[in-house]
Structure formats: structure tokens, C-alpha cells
Amino acid sequence: MPIPECIVVFDVNVWLDVATLITQPFSWDEFDAIAGSVNSLPVPPPDVRYDCLRAIAMSRTGFYDSGSQRLEVWTSAHIDRLVISKAIEVVRDKTGRRWTQATAEGLVEDFLYEVLEDTGGGTVGDITIPMGNPPLDHEDGCVYRTAVDAGDDHMSRKVIVTKDGPFRQNAPSIGTYVDVVSPAQYVSKLRKARRPSLPRPPSRPSKP
């Protein structure tokens, strides 16, 4: 029986942290160069933004482990809109420039949606009713609903990756099957799942 895929939803703050590490417009060459340069840093790294970038970079393989469990990245119109609006309003790129309307839209079209395509994920579209609100606020409830609605298999494992501490603390009280973890926790889980298992030593014959 095939292993159900893992559905991953990156919170808005994860996408936006990556936007502060790069110059605009978005370029995969620059993203890949940074990902390669920080790959060997410890978890968590000195700059927590690197785990946001590593979390996305590691997901692009489309596998949670070394090749048996599929991984799909999903989004919603709610997440897309907030990435664009907050990139314009509050986020600056690596050079200190504000993101423009055109380059912020490029973050979604050329970055976020390329990750979805790489992994075979998709979008749930508009979110009309948030989930877990309260204790989650409206924005977090919409992200949570995104994960619950994402995917085609009800047996799929669902994971939300977020920097938001209160989101992670309050999510377990909702009582569903969605794991809400930090970028560092997610990177650590992927590394562990992809680590080759050591062969067991041969058993010694029992003494007579």
C-alpha cells in the first residue's frame, strides 16, 4: 500500500522571510545560490531566516523522505494575497528596497507557484470560513483551513510551517490532525527522514 503524501503549507511569514534575503525581482539562480551556501549551517542557524529558505528549498524535491513518501506544497488565495500586500507594505529586499506591486506579484507567480508546480501541489482557492478561530486569530485560522482543505487524500499528513509562536502553541487545542511546526523543526524532521539508515550488525550466534 502506498504511503499517503505529506501536505505542507508555508505560512505567509515564511515566504516573506525569504523575500528579505534576496533582491528583486525574484530569481531562482539567486535563491539556489543562497540555499547552497547555507545548507550546511546548524539548525537553527544564527539567522532564523535561513531555515525559512531551507524549508522551501528542501521541499522542492517533492519527497518528505529519501523517496517513498510524496510531499506536496499547497496554498490558498488568502496566503497569496497577504504575501503580495505585506511584501509591498512592510518587507524590504536584501538591498533595502521596498517590493513593488509588480515584483511582489512575481514572488507569488514566479516563486510560490513554481514551488507548488515542482511538488505537484496546488491551491484551495478562496477561504471563506477560517478554522480554529478562536483560539487562532483570523489570519492563522485561514492558514489552518488551507491545510485542512488541501490535498486529495483524507489520509494525508498535514503540516503547517510558521514562525508564529502563538500559532504553534494554540494549534494543538483545535484537536485535528494538522501539525504546526517552526521552520527549524521542519528542516530537522526532513533531515532525519532523509538520513540513510545504518545497517544492523549481524547477529552473533548464541553460545551453547
Side-chain angles (χ1 to χ4, degrees), residues 4-208:
E5 70 268 20
C6 178
I7 301 297
V8 179
V9 173
F10 292 113
D11 199 356
V12 175
N13 52 56
V14 175
W15 298 107
L16 291 178
D17 254 21
V18 176
T20 68
L21 293 170
I22 59 178
T23 53
Q24 54 185 304
F26 174 80
S27 160
W28 278 114
D29 287 341
E30 182 181 22
F31 178 93
D32 290 340
I34 298 172
S37 68
V38 303
N39 183 56
S40 61
L41 291 177
V43 179
D47 188 333
V48 296
R49 296 177 299 170
Y50 291 139
D51 270 337
C52 293
L53 187 145
R54 288 195 292 196
I56 295 172
M58 293 176 72
S59 297
R60 291 178 64 205
T61 65
F63 286 96
Y64 186 84
D65 54 15
S66 57
S68 59
Q69 185 179 21
R70 290 284 307 157
L71 181 156
E72 297 178 1
V73 178
W74 283 70
T75 188
S76 62
H78 166 82
I79 292 173
D80 301 347
R81 284 193 297 267
L82 283 182
V83 168
I84 293 171
S85 64
K86 290 192 175 185
I88 296 170
E89 294 167 6
V90 299
V91 175
R92 295 180 183 271
D93 72 2
K94 184 172 67 174
T95 66
R97 293 183 299 153
R98 289 189 179 274
W99 288 80
T100 67
Q101 181 74 36
T103 56
E105 290 176 356
L107 279 175
V108 171
E109 296 169 4
D110 303 327
F111 178 31
L112 189 156
Y113 271 84
E114 284 291 326
V115 174
L116 268 57
E117 184 174 342
D118 288 343
T119 63
T123 178
V124 301
D126 286 319
I127 300 293
T128 56
I129 302 176
M131 187 168 185
N133 169 234
L136 304 180
D137 62 26
H138 178 82
E139 287 188 8
D140 292 345
C142 288
V143 174
Y144 200 94
R145 171 66 70 182
T146 301
V148 169
D149 291 351
D152 302 316
D153 186 346
H154 71 283
M155 296 296 292
S156 297
R157 178 183 179 189
K158 305 292 183 72
V159 179
I160 294 172
V161 183
T162 181
K163 291 178 56 188
D164 188 336
F167 189 178
R168 298 195 303 270
Q169 294 164 9
N170 290 325
S173 66
I174 301 172
T176 67
Y177 49 88
V178 179
D179 293 327
V180 183
V181 300
S182 70
Q185 290 171 324
Y186 179 73
V187 169
S188 294
K189 288 176 183 290
L190 288 187
R191 283 184 170 181
K192 183 178 180 180
R194 296 174 182 184
R195 189 177 301 137
S197 57
L198 297 176
R200 293 184 178 181
S203 58
R204 296 179 180 178
S206 59
K207 294 182 180 181

